Amino acid sequence: MHNFHCTISRRDFMKGLGLAGAGIGAATSVMPNFHDLDEVISAASAETSSLSGKSLNNFPWYVKERDFENPTIDIDWSILARNDGYNHQGAYWGPVPENGDDKRYPDPADQCLTLPEKRDLYLAWAKQQFPDWEPGINGHGPTRDEALWFASSTGGIGRYRIPGTQQMMSTMRLDGSTGGWGYFNQPPAAVWGGKYPRWEGTPEENTLMMRTVCQFFGYSSIGVMPITSNTKKLFFEKQIPFQFMAGDPGVFGGTGNVQFDVPLPKTPVPIVWEEVDKGYYNDQKIVIPNKANWVLTMTMPLPEDRFKRSLGWSLDASSMIAYPQMAFNGGRVQTFLKALGYQGLGGDVAMWGPGGAFGVMSGLSEQGRVANEISPKYGSATKGSNRLVCDLPMVPTKPIDAGIHKFCETCGICTTVCPSNAIQVGPPQWSNNRWDNTPGYLGYRLNWGRCVLCTNCETYCPFFNMTNGSLIHNVVRSTVAATPVFNSFFRQMEHTFGYGMKDDLNDWWNQSHKPW
């Protein structure tokens, strides 16, 4: 078998795809020149001989690694400043802070939309595209789709109740103390009064261990971002958990009677670093120990078959399912770290700063036109990056280049399917002068005040269907990674072959599916 030789040349193969012409040399140059399977195996072994983000996540051969703090987005670290955090969250909901310092409701010049306006815009778009679709009472679809949406969103964003108790896990958990231990509520040896030694491993061993643990809990890929004077600027300046995590009455059905081990701050408090042994928070600040030098980032895959039929206002069930799962699994990874004798601080989509920034900087993805993460392996079929600040030594992973950010400049399909014109048209920008602007990086900037939460931008993205093994997608991905010559051609292919939303909306209910 190792002596098998291909009988078709790369040039003939590309001609068969209709890609002959002036750019053929550029296209064929991106494909590796293997003579037999022994060379393929040798190349794969060479790639994994040293631990990196690329080898850690089994990214394809055409993915290039860049220098630390140098992603495919240009960054001027001298200008980049910490976002003021809580005031730039809550573009969709949430009570006004008690001190009245509130920037979540932008200037009318930004042409932002109210929730009813967003809902009506989306439903009008959906009705035009799918005349037979019934939005149901809440705009999520008919009764069974509505039921699936509520079931998928159970647990909410960033917190869940420990069954049978009043205890909650939340994004503000800093040391795993909120919530119980495992079987019979018995603490593990490593934290049992200091009687037993904690786990000690090399950074390489620790990184591989955390990959295995995260995959066991359901994450698809992990990265490690070192905390430096520059990357500290990716952290929010201030933060508070979303108010409804503390059971705020009237918001997502909160009861207002949930008690946390440490009361949650009621107003935004600064995130600071101090020379302390353990992280903590009070009503004055959130403290990260100086020795916690790593941010562990983790991506959660979304159920693709359902996502390709994700009609519905305010996120489909296939998107909502990620949020409680990330809360569960962030708590599990955090508890695992504590059981080893270390700390993982935070652990959910709302904590520390924008998930996309951490995911891009740790090499899990590139930034897409929707200001989202797009992975070379899972495409846009992930829900951001979960993140934990850790004091467990790990191997930092570098930013990557798979040609994705560059492809978005040519593509722009997402702008044509956005019901509210929330997605930036044109090249990346250094600044957008809007209420949610963070200057200092040349990137795409979504107008969150107009986003209707429909996920069309992900569903129709050419990089969404990344997990299928079709040969044509592999050729497209490898070509995009090495040269932009064919980007406009590949963009047109998406329309020609009819990728995007599936038409058989109801057939999904009668099919057998893989987990997730």
Side-chain angles (χ1 to χ4, degrees):
M1 180 176 178
H2 285 183
N3 293 322
F4 172 79
H5 291 266
C6 295
T7 58
I8 182 171
S9 71
R10 290 174 293 151
R11 181 176 294 272
D12 289 339
F13 178 72
M14 299 301 284
K15 284 182 178 179
L17 292 177
L19 299 182
I24 191 67
T28 57
S29 67
V30 307
M31 304 179 73
N33 190 20
F34 298 134
H35 296 91
D36 54 39
L37 292 185
D38 286 329
E39 291 189 13
V40 176
I41 293 170
S42 297
S45 299
E47 277 194 358
T48 56
S49 59
S50 60
L51 186 61
S52 67
K54 180 176 177 178
S55 63
L56 191 68
N57 294 301
N58 295 316
F59 282 159
W61 60 268
Y62 51 79
V63 175
K64 305 178 185 68
E65 290 191 308
R66 299 170 63 91
D67 293 333
F68 288 115
E69 301 179 5
N70 181 31
T72 48
I73 304 173
D74 288 335
I75 300 176
D76 187 336
W77 290 104
S78 66
I79 296 176
L80 191 73
R82 293 172 67 185
N83 187 289
D84 64 359
Y86 177 77
N87 287 333
H88 280 170
Q89 296 179 29
Y92 314 108
W93 49 65
V96 176
E98 292 182 2
N99 63 5
D101 182 17
D102 184 20
K103 298 178 183 177
R104 292 169 300 153
Y105 301 98
D107 189 288
D110 292 332
Q111 298 181 322
C112 295
L113 303 169
T114 65
L115 282 177
E117 288 173 333
K118 292 180 179 184
R119 183 181 187 275
D120 291 345
L121 263 177
Y122 175 75
L123 294 182
W125 177 90
K127 230 11 183 173
Q128 182 180 23
Q129 300 294 321
F130 301 90
D132 295 332
W133 180 68
E134 293 298 330
I137 188 172
N138 289 312
H140 304 140
T143 302
R144 61 182 176 182
D145 293 284
E146 173 94 346
L148 187 68
W149 187 91
F150 274 101
S152 298
S153 59
T154 298
I157 300 176
R159 88 275 190 254
Y160 64 90
R161 188 186 303 275
I162 306 298
T165 75
Q166 284 293 306
Q167 290 180 300
M168 298 284 286
M169 298 290 282
S170 84
T171 57
M172 189 53 78
R173 55 182 186 268
L174 289 188
D175 65 356
S177 61
T178 305
W181 286 110
Y183 195 55
F184 292 137
N185 204 37
Q186 178 173 302
V191 294
W192 206 341
K195 183 178 179 181
Y196 298 96
R198 70 177 185 175
W199 161 264
E200 297 291 348
T202 66
E204 291 78 12
E205 290 172 333
N206 294 341
T207 307
L208 293 173
M209 172 181 68
M210 294 312 300
R211 178 186 64 178
T212 300
V213 168
C214 290
Q215 289 176 339
F216 178 77
F217 289 137
Y219 291 108
S220 53
S221 55
I222 73 164
V224 180
M225 187 192 80
I227 298 180
T228 68
S229 59
N230 280 338
T231 59
K232 281 183 179 181
K233 297 178 180 180
L234 303 180
F235 285 74
F236 291 140
E237 184 177 358
K238 298 178 181 178
Q239 187 157 38
I240 186 175
F242 288 113
Q243 292 280 3
F244 55 76
M245 291 179 188
D248 184 72
V251 182
F252 281 9
T255 61
N257 60 2
V258 176
Q259 300 298 315
F260 290 87
D261 293 353
V262 179
L264 298 174
K266 293 184 178 181
T267 57
V269 294
I271 297 174
V272 300
W273 281 263
E274 292 182 358
E275 195 62 43
V276 295
D277 185 50
K278 290 186 177 182
Y280 68 92
Y281 66 91
N282 53 36
D283 60 356
Q284 300 296 316
K285 57 187 176 181
I286 300 170
V287 178
I288 300 174
N290 287 332
K291 69 176 184 178
N293 291 323
W294 299 270
V295 178
L296 176 66
T297 58
M298 307 154 280
T299 59
M300 178 72 69
L302 301 176
E304 288 189 16
D305 289 342
R306 171 71 194 194
F307 211 105
K308 300 297 282 186
R309 300 166 176 84
S310 57
L311 277 181
W313 144 253
S314 72
L315 302 181
D316 181 75
S318 55
S319 185
M320 288 301 299
I321 187 70
Y323 293 110
Q325 283 296 99
M326 290 174 88
F328 275 113
N329 292 336
R332 286 169 174 149
V333 175
Q334 185 188 53
T335 300
F336 175 78
L337 285 164
K338 186 174 183 180
L340 294 178
Y342 295 87
Q343 56 193 313
L345 314 179
D348 197 37
V349 294
M351 195 65 182
W352 300 131
F358 290 113
V360 168
M361 205 61 63
S362 60
L364 294 183
S365 56
E366 292 185 66
Q367 189 203 42
R369 181 174 287 276
V370 195
N372 62 333
E373 289 189 59
I374 301 181
S375 161
K377 192 171 183 180
Y378 301 99
S380 52
T382 63
K383 186 51 65 177
S385 287
N386 209 342
R387 46 221 177 264
L388 280 166
V389 174
C390 304
D391 59 356
L392 175 74
M394 290 178 284
V395 177
T397 53
K398 297 180 178 180
I400 59 170
D401 183 355
I404 296 171
H405 185 71
K406 188 69 176 177
F407 183 84
C408 286
E409 285 193 37
T410 304
C411 182
I413 286 178
C414 54
T415 66
T416 67
V417 296
C418 177
S420 61
N421 298 319
I423 302 172
Q424 177 191 321
V425 177
Q429 298 176 348
W430 282 102
S431 176
N432 60 12
N433 298 317
R434 286 201 310 267
W435 64 283
D436 57 355
N437 181 56
T438 299
Y441 70 93
L442 183 63
Y444 295 109
R445 299 165 183 275
L446 185 72
N447 188 339
W448 291 102
R450 292 189 63 84
C451 176
V452 301
L453 297 173
C454 67
T455 69
N456 281 2
C457 52
E458 295 170 294
T459 306
Y460 285 91
C461 177
F463 282 95
F464 181 86
N465 246 2
M466 298 297 281
T467 58
N468 73 64
S470 66
L471 179 60
I472 182 61
H473 274 85
N474 289 330
V475 171
V476 169
R477 282 179 281 180
S478 60
T479 305
V480 164
T483 175
V485 171
F486 296 108
N487 282 1
S488 59
F489 171 75
F490 293 143
R491 190 264 192 207
Q492 189 58 40
M493 280 177 58
E494 293 293 317
H495 281 306
T496 303
F497 288 97
Y499 295 125
M501 195 84 75
K502 299 291 186 182
D503 292 327
D504 54 341
L505 300 178
N506 292 321
D507 286 353
W508 180 83
W509 288 97
N510 304 318
Q511 298 171 357
S512 175
H513 302 280
K514 296 179 295 184
W516 287 102

